[in-house]
Amino acid sequence: MRILLVEDDPDLGEAIARVLRSENCAVDLVRDGIDAQHMGDTENYDAAILDLGLAGQDGSAVLAAWRTGGRDLPVLVLTAREAWADKVSAFKAGADDYLTKPFRVEELMMRLRALVRRAAGHAQSRIACGSLVFESQTGQFELDGLPLRLTAFEWRVLSHLILRREVVVERLDLLEHVYEGDADVDSNSLEVIIGRLRRKIGADLIETVRGRGYRLRCGVGA
C-alpha cells in the first residue's frame, strides 16, 4: 500500500509513518492542508490518513475538495475531535472511516487495510489466488499453506496484484504504489521485483502483458 499521511504533529506523524513502513507500506507524510490537497490531487494512493486540525486548510475542506474534484481514494480521518458534529461533518465531506486520538496502532492498521480491501472490491479479508492466499487484515501471505517471506517491495507489488487478481495492472500503476514520492526509482527495479516474486510463487503465476503491465493469473495449474 502507498499511503498519504496528513498529520500536523511532527512527532506523531513520524511515529505513525514508522509503523506504516514497518507494515511494508510506502508513506508520504505532509503536515498542512495545502500540501495535503495537492498531493491527494496529483499522486496515486491506496488510501489517506487525514488529520482535521491542519494549518493552511482544515482537513474537512481538504477532503471536500478531493471529492469535488473526483478523487475517490479511501480516507481515514484520524483526529482528536470527538464531538458528534465533527464526525458528521467529516462523513458529509466524504470520509470513509473516523478514528479518534489517542488510538491503538493495531486498530489503525486494521481499519486501513479494510478500507483498501473494500476499495478493491473484496468483502472478505481472505483473498485466494490458487495456492497463494493473502490474509488482508494481517497482511500475511501463504503459499501451499505455508507462510511466504517477502521483502517490503515484494509485498507491495504482490498485495497490489492479488487485490486486482486476473486484471492487468499497468506498469506505471505498480510503480506508483511501490515507491514513496521522493524515491529515486531505477527504471529496471520493477522487473527485478517481479523476477524475485516469480521465483518465490511460481514463474507462471505473474503474466507479463506486453506494452501494458502484469496480471496475477489464479487459474494457472488448476
Side-chain angles (χ1 to χ4, degrees), residues 1-5 16-17 20-21 25-29 180-181:
M1 296 186 291
R2 185 180 176 198
I3 306 300
L4 174 60
L5 172 59
I16 296 172
L20 292 172
R21 289 175 179 130
C25 297
V27 183
D28 292 339
L29 171 60
E180 296 176 357

Side-chain angles (χ1 to χ4, degrees), residues 1-2 20-21 23-27 141 150-161 174 177-180 197:
M1 296 186 291
R2 185 180 176 198
L20 292 172
R21 289 175 179 130
E23 296 290 339
N24 298 323
C25 297
V27 183
F141 279 95
L150 302 170
T151 67
F153 287 133
E154 291 166 357
W155 186 92
R156 293 173 196 170
V157 169
L158 191 55
S159 62
H160 199 66
L161 289 174
L174 269 176
H177 285 85
V178 170
Y179 295 99
E180 296 176 357
L197 282 172

Side-chain angles (χ1 to χ4, degrees), residues 137-166:
Q137 282 302 98
T138 63
Q140 300 300 309
F141 279 95
E142 293 181 0
L143 183 66
D144 295 322
L146 298 175
L148 183 61
R149 299 189 62 175
L150 302 170
T151 67
F153 287 133
E154 291 166 357
W155 186 92
R156 293 173 196 170
V157 169
L158 191 55
S159 62
H160 199 66
L161 289 174
I162 200 168
L163 286 172
R164 294 152 186 84
R165 56 189 180 178
E166 300 291 359

Side-chain angles (χ1 to χ4, degrees), residues 33 37-38 41 57-71 93-94:
Q37 183 177 335
H38 172 74
D41 283 339
Q57 185 169 229
D58 186 77
S60 291
V62 172
L63 179 52
W66 285 342
R67 298 311 190 217
T68 300
R71 296 291 285 165

Side-chain angles (χ1 to χ4, degrees), residues 2-112:
R2 185 180 176 198
I3 306 300
L4 174 60
L5 172 59
V6 187
E7 172 56 59
D8 69 338
D9 183 317
D11 292 336
L12 180 58
E14 291 295 344
I16 296 172
R18 283 196 298 272
V19 170
L20 292 172
R21 289 175 179 130
S22 74
E23 296 290 339
N24 298 323
C25 297
V27 183
D28 292 339
L29 171 60
V30 297
R31 296 193 172 95
D32 66 73
I34 303 298
D35 288 343
Q37 183 177 335
H38 172 74
M39 294 292 283
D41 283 339
T42 58
E43 297 291 334
N44 196 359
Y45 294 103
D46 289 297
I49 299 172
L50 179 65
D51 191 9
L52 294 182
L54 301 172
Q57 185 169 229
D58 186 77
S60 291
V62 172
L63 179 52
W66 285 342
R67 298 311 190 217
T68 300
R71 296 291 285 165
D72 60 357
L73 78 161
V75 176
L76 169 61
V77 169
L78 181 63
T79 179
R81 299 179 185 177
E82 297 181 340
W84 174 247
D86 291 317
K87 294 181 181 180
V88 170
S89 176
F91 281 113
K92 283 185 175 180
D96 297 281
D97 202 354
Y98 195 104
L99 182 62
T100 56
K101 304 171 185 175
F103 61 94
R104 294 182 64 89
V105 294
E106 295 87 354
E107 181 178 4
L108 173 66
M109 288 306 307
M110 288 185 68
R111 287 173 179 252
L112 189 63

